[in-house]
Amino acid sequence: YLYQALIFYSAIRTRKYFDLPTPVAKTEGSNGGSDAAAAAVAGQEDDAVKSADLWIKRLRYFARFIVVALLLKETRLVGDLTAELKALVKVYKQGFSPQDGDDWDVVIKEVGAFVARRHGTGPTPTSTCST
């Protein structure tokens, strides 16, 4: 099933299902205070919330894809996906100032630690069992 998942996630990436517009940082200010302007701002806020939700789905997709690639020992693909995820997290954090931004940084660090450990360059876990 892992190989099928890899093919599925690769197809999603190839077909660019999660290509989203870059979020625009929120700015303070008004456009004259008219009702039409207020409605436009409210519509933009709704779109921003929907866009933020899509960005979260996109980041989760990348995290799942990385896990599958790690389990299948697709080292090069893991590196590519991790670099792309890192760039996406940066854009996500700048555009939405989300509460979960730091959590995504932790995800990236954990993937890096896992890859380093798999290659024998990371810390070795200590064992509490004696033989």
Side-chain angles (χ1 to χ4, degrees):
Y1 293 110
L2 284 175
Y3 187 70
Q4 292 172 348
L6 183 74
I7 292 170
F8 177 72
Y9 287 137
S10 295
I12 290 171
R13 186 175 184 215
T14 301
R15 294 176 184 155
K16 300 180 180 184
Y17 287 148
F18 282 111
D19 274 5
L20 300 170
T22 302
V24 177
K26 295 178 184 176
T27 59
E28 298 296 324
S30 65
N31 292 335
S34 71
D35 289 339
V41 169
Q44 289 173 348
E45 288 174 0
D46 289 343
D47 289 345
V49 169
K50 290 176 188 175
S51 183
D53 290 342
L54 288 174
W55 269 83
I56 292 168
K57 288 179 182 182
R58 183 183 195 183
L59 296 174
R60 288 180 180 166
Y61 153 77
F62 270 92
R64 290 180 183 122
F65 195 177
I66 289 169
V67 169
V68 170
L70 280 167
L71 292 172
L72 291 173
K73 300 179 182 176
E74 296 285 339
T75 308
R76 185 174 179 190
L77 180 59
V78 169
D80 293 345
L81 292 171
T82 303
E84 196 167 343
L85 178 61
K86 188 175 182 178
L88 290 172
V89 166
K90 182 178 178 182
V91 171
Y92 172 67
K93 287 174 64 174
Q94 289 174 345
F96 296 108
S97 301
Q99 293 179 350
D100 65 347
D102 292 337
D103 296 336
W104 285 106
D105 289 334
V106 171
V107 169
I108 293 168
K109 287 178 186 174
E110 288 178 351
V111 169
F114 189 84
V115 169
R117 176 68 183 116
R118 180 165 265 187
H119 290 295
T121 59
T124 305
T126 58
S127 175
T128 58
C129 299
S130 60
T131 54

